[in-house]
Amino acid sequence: AEADVLVGADGIWSAVRAQMYGEDLRKSSGDLKKRQGCTYSGYTVFAGETVIKTADYYDTGYKVYIGPKRYFVTSDVGDGRIQWYA
């Protein structure tokens, strides 16, 4: 099949990507700590986007807040939108 655009929104263990690049789809380990050849690190990341203009919006491109075993990062993605992850 041919197309100008393909949206493969099937996640990090993407079957679409595997097919496009000729990758093998590997089975998960029994404890699910290893998938597609990658070992799970034990960390979970949460991410999102919000609309907010801060006083220093035009002075900073990103901010990193670091605490004991925790972090929070924000980055400017334009037009008052901020992407964040923790």
Side-chain angles (χ1 to χ4, degrees):
E2 289 187 28
D4 292 329
V5 176
L6 171 66
V7 177
D10 57 337
I12 192 169
W13 316 114
S14 176
V16 172
R17 182 188 64 243
Q19 184 175 359
M20 282 182 60
Y21 294 105
E23 299 172 349
D24 292 331
L25 280 175
R26 300 179 189 162
K27 291 186 179 182
S28 301
S29 63
D31 60 5
L32 297 180
K33 289 188 177 182
K34 190 166 197 135
R35 295 185 71 183
Q36 280 296 89
C38 300
T39 302
Y40 175 59
S41 66
Y43 289 95
T44 300
V45 175
F46 298 94
E49 188 177 298
T50 189
V51 176
I52 186 172
K53 286 201 177 184
T54 60
D56 61 353
Y57 178 77
Y58 293 104
D59 299 327
T60 58
Y62 66 93
K63 295 180 183 179
V64 179
Y65 304 90
I66 301 174
K69 298 184 181 181
R70 291 175 175 80
Y71 64 89
F72 188 83
V73 179
T74 64
S75 60
D76 170 18
V77 292
D79 199 27
R81 294 176 301 130
I82 302 291
Q83 178 187 34
W84 60 266
Y85 59 94

